[in-house]
Amino acid sequence: MSGIEIVVVDGERFEVRRQAGTHHLTWLTGPNPGYGFSIGSNTGAALEPAVLETEIREFLDQVDPETGYL
């Protein structure tokens, strides 16, 4: 993956930008505009789609439903 991609996990949409081995994910359907997280790999390689899905689910599991933040 390079550039910008939209990934949908469990109905939630994320914009994924890859920059210098880091993936920046912005939660497009979340309650707080611009909120998200970043992840990378030790080698700087692109993450597999299954890894991105797992990371997104773990992020969503930690979000406080009242605030929309971790």
Side-chain angles (χ1 to χ4, degrees):
M1 167 182 41
S2 62
I4 297 175
E5 179 179 344
I6 301 298
V7 174
V8 180
V9 175
D10 301 335
E12 299 293 340
R13 296 181 69 217
F14 287 80
E15 176 186 271
V16 181
R17 287 181 295 112
R18 185 164 178 249
Q19 182 179 28
T22 301
H23 294 71
H24 304 282
L25 293 91
T26 303
W27 187 12
L28 300 175
T29 51
N32 303 305
Y35 190 62
F37 65 102
S38 296
I39 55 175
S41 69
N42 291 337
T43 65
L47 298 175
E48 295 293 324
V51 173
L52 282 175
E53 287 182 25
T54 298
E55 294 292 332
I56 290 170
R57 282 191 179 104
E58 289 177 3
F59 168 80
L60 292 170
D61 285 345
Q62 295 176 53
V63 170
D64 182 323
E66 291 185 26
T67 67
Y69 292 109
L70 295 182

